[in-house]
Amino acid sequence: WEEFSGWAEKGKACHEELLRLVDADTDAFNEIMAAFGLPNKTDEEKAERAAAIEAATVGAIEVPFRTMEVSMESMDVIAAMADIGLPASASDAGVAALCARTAVLGAYLNVLINAKELTDAEKARSFVERGADLRDRAMAREVEILETLSGKL
């Protein structure tokens, strides 16, 4: 009971944060749209608008990047359930692994599309490289989980 209870708490925490990130992603998009709507007639307005766009773009990268991280964290729970979970739920663990990997890869696409808009090339490169690492780890973890399940299905 204690072991499953701990995993359930970790899974619930991931679930709650991922739900919060759905709204945060919408908010980040709205911030970008608002920044693009700022006036840009004078040099001062252009500079303020550019800074607002850059800041909003960073936010629009940070949210899907965090989605990648939390989705990776959920794979710890999924791996445990693949290993010690109910045999009748083995296919559920497999589907969860597929979904978590897809969440990481889908969020990475959002990181990529927004990173190309950053004027800070070093920051963009950092997000892209760290995201690629998470992507690769998610794909490897999915394979590990599915291999764990292969004898149980």
Side-chain angles (χ1 to χ4, degrees):
W1 173 253
E2 284 182 30
E3 184 171 20
F4 282 108
S5 204
W7 286 116
E9 287 178 23
K10 185 169 183 168
K12 184 65 176 166
C14 290
H15 174 255
E16 288 173 358
E17 186 165 4
L18 287 167
L19 285 177
R20 183 191 65 73
L21 287 165
V22 170
D23 291 332
D25 190 60
T26 300
D27 293 343
F29 175 78
N30 290 337
E31 287 291 322
I32 287 179
M33 297 309 293
F36 274 107
L38 293 173
N40 65 342
K41 294 189 191 304
T42 68
D43 287 343
E44 184 179 333
E45 287 176 342
K46 288 177 184 178
E48 288 176 12
R49 181 177 181 266
I53 291 169
E54 184 82 355
T57 302
V58 169
I61 297 168
E62 288 173 338
V63 173
F65 193 87
R66 182 65 187 145
T67 300
M68 294 177 76
E69 292 174 326
V70 177
S71 297
M72 277 299 303
E73 289 173 27
S74 78
M75 292 183 105
D76 293 340
V77 177
I78 296 163
M81 293 306 99
D83 187 38
I84 63 170
L86 294 173
S89 298
S91 62
D92 294 334
V95 171
L98 299 172
C99 290
R101 187 256 329 174
T102 300
V104 172
L105 271 62
Y108 186 54
L109 295 176
N110 287 329
V111 168
L112 290 173
I113 200 161
N114 289 313
K116 72 178 189 162
E117 300 300 325
L118 280 180
T119 59
D120 184 339
E122 179 58 31
K123 188 174 281 192
R125 184 194 59 72
S126 175
F127 277 120
V128 168
E129 288 178 1
R130 291 183 298 135
D133 178 61
L134 284 168
R135 176 204 60 205
D136 294 346
R137 288 178 31 221
M139 291 169 48
R141 194 71 193 269
E142 175 196 39
V143 169
E144 291 171 9
I145 293 167
L146 294 176
E147 285 176 356
T148 297
L149 293 171
S150 66
K152 298 179 181 191
L153 298 173

